[in-house]
Amino acid sequence: MPILVVGSLALDEVETPFGRRESALGGAAVYFGLAASYFTEVQLVGVVGRDFPQQHVDLLAARGIDLEGLKFVDGETFRWGGKYGYDFNARDTTFTHLGAFADFRPEIPERFRKTPNVFLANIDPRLQLDVLEQVERPNMTALDTMNYWIERTPNELRAALERVDILIINDAEARQLAGEPMLRRAAGRILEWGPELLVVKKGEDGAVTFSREGIFAVPGLPLDSIVDPTGAGDSFAGGFLGYLAATGDRSPDALRRATIYGSTMGSLCCEAFSTEKLVDLEPLEIEDRFQEYKRLTHFEYSPILLNA
Ligand code: AMP
C-alpha cells in the first residue's frame, strides 16, 4: 500500500565534529521518502527551485519515489544550515532560507488523492489541513510538527490533530504542545485531542509510543559511529509508517515492530552525512539492525525470592 508524503525538500549545509557538507540533499520529505521506500511505494509532494540539482532528482527516482507531485518553480530551493557539537541531541540552526518553500501550496495530483496512507511532514498546519481536504478518506494519516508551529498556529495545529491518526514528534515538542512537563501526562492529553497514537522521538535515547492500549519504549542503540544525525527523526517516521503502510496492520504488535523499524532507519541515517546512507541500503542491513534492537531489548524473567 503506497504512502503519500508532503513536506520539505532542501539543500542543507551541515557541520559536525566529523566534517561538513554544503548543498547536500535534505528536507523532511526526502529523508522520510528514502527511508519509507525500503518498505513500500512512496509518492512525494513538494517544491524546489530551478537550482535543485538533477542528480538529486535522479537519486529519488532511483529509489522508486513517484515524483509527479514535485513542483519546480522560479527561485531558490529551501536551504537550511545546522551545526552539531559532540552532543548530538543539541544542534544550532545556523540559517533557514525558505526560498521557493515560502509560497508552497501543496497540490495533490489526482492520481495521489485516493492513496491510503498519508504523512504530513513538518509544514504549516494550515497547509497540512489543506492536504487533508484534498485527499479522500485515507486509512492512515500521520503528522509531524515543531515548536515554531506549536507557538504560532496552535488553533490550526489542534484542528489538524483532530483529523489525524498518528502524531510523531520529539519529547520537548510533546511537552510544549500539551503544556505539561510529565511526558506520560502530556501523552494522555494529546491522545484526547484526536490521534489514536502518539510517537515520541527522543533522539539518541530512543522512542516511546503511547496509545490507549498502553506504552511501548525502545532505548537508543549505542552506535559505533554517528556522523550526522540530521534527518534521523524523519527517517524514523519513514521506517515507522513505511512498515505500517506495507503491512496494513495497526495491531499493538505491529506498532511495536514499527517502532523498531523506525529506530532502525533513524539509526542507519546517522551513520553517514546527509542522505548518503539512505540511498543504497541493502535490505539485509535493515534486517540486521532490526535484530540488533531485538537483542538489545530482550530479557527473560527468572523469579527469585525477594527479601521482605
Ligand atoms: P530532522 O533532523 O529530522 O529535524 O530533519 C532535518 C531536515 O529538516 C533537514 O534536512 C532540513 O532541511 C529540514 N528542515 C529544517 N527546518 C525545517 C522547516 N522549518 N520546515 C521544513 N523542513 C525543515
Side-chain angles (χ1 to χ4, degrees):
M1 286 296 199
I3 189 160
L4 167 69
V5 54
V6 183
S8 64
L9 293 94
L11 297 174
D12 287 346
E13 189 177 302
V14 176
E15 190 177 335
T16 83
F18 308 106
R20 56 180 284 131
R21 290 287 187 283
E22 274 172 30
S23 292
L25 175 59
V30 167
Y31 281 105
F32 177 91
L34 288 171
S37 72
Y38 291 91
F39 298 84
T40 194
E41 190 192 316
V42 177
Q43 301 164 340
L44 190 152
V45 170
V47 68
V48 291
R50 308 253 175 236
D51 57 346
F52 194 67
Q54 182 61 35
Q55 75 196 65
H56 292 346
V57 178
D58 296 344
L59 209 141
L60 295 170
R63 282 289 328 140
I65 297 176
D66 190 328
L67 298 172
E68 190 188 322
L70 176 59
K71 232 179 169 178
F72 289 81
V73 298
D74 291 334
E76 294 202 321
T77 299
F78 173 61
R79 284 178 183 263
W80 173 84
K83 191 171 175 184
Y84 301 82
Y86 284 103
D87 174 4
F88 281 110
N89 279 343
R91 85 173 162 211
D92 290 329
T93 293
T94 49
F95 62 86
T96 304
H97 296 158
L98 291 176
F101 198 49
D103 301 317
F104 179 44
R105 297 284 171 277
E107 275 171 42
I108 311 302
E110 197 58 46
R111 204 159 53 78
F112 294 176
R113 293 186 178 207
K114 287 194 168 72
T115 297
N117 305 291
V118 177
F119 177 59
L120 304 164
N122 168 32
I123 49 172
D124 187 331
R126 286 166 290 202
L127 300 184
Q128 294 177 322
L129 281 165
D130 188 33
V131 172
L132 292 174
E133 288 298 322
Q134 294 180 55
V135 294
E136 290 178 30
R137 279 179 282 121
N139 296 337
M140 178 175 78
T141 48
L143 179 157
D144 186 5
T145 193
M146 67 186 289
N147 55 351
Y148 184 90
W149 304 117
I150 295 171
E151 286 153 23
R152 285 174 181 75
T153 54
N155 296 334
E156 291 82 356
L157 182 57
R158 279 288 289 274
L161 281 177
E162 279 172 22
R163 298 183 52 182
V164 296
D165 305 307
I166 303 174
L167 172 64
I168 305 184
I169 47 178
N170 71 34
D171 50 346
E173 290 159 353
R175 291 186 172 96
Q176 186 184 16
L177 177 62
E180 165 60 61
M182 301 298 152
L183 193 56
R184 192 168 177 152
R185 282 197 212 156
R189 195 167 290 177
I190 291 167
L191 291 177
E192 280 171 15
W193 295 342
E196 68 182 53
L197 185 72
L198 168 69
V199 184
V200 178
K201 300 169 288 182
K202 302 178 86 177
E204 270 188 296
D205 301 321
V208 191
T209 52
F210 295 90
S211 70
R212 283 168 201 102
E213 276 85 43
I215 303 176
F216 179 64
V218 50
L221 173 69
L223 295 172
D224 275 337
S225 147
I226 301 179
V227 173
D228 172 15
T230 307
D234 301 307
S235 305
F236 177 100
F240 184 90
L241 295 172
Y243 175 77
L244 293 182
T247 59
D249 184 358
R250 261 152 65 194
S251 65
D253 278 350
L255 294 174
R256 287 172 178 235
R257 282 191 291 275
T259 310
I260 302 295
Y261 274 118
S263 305
T264 293
M265 300 312 289
S267 71
L268 288 166
C269 169
C270 296
E271 292 182 342
F273 270 104
S274 172
T275 52
E276 287 163 18
K277 184 90 182 185
L278 292 181
V279 292
D280 59 357
L281 281 166
E282 292 296 332
L284 198 61
E285 241 176 317
I286 297 174
E287 286 304 313
D288 279 351
R289 182 59 52 89
F290 184 97
Q291 295 297 342
E292 218 174 324
Y293 273 101
K294 190 159 167 26
R295 287 193 295 276
L296 178 76
T297 51
H298 182 84
F299 61 88
E300 299 287 346
Y301 174 58
S302 168
I304 57 159
L305 203 55
L306 295 164
N307 294 328

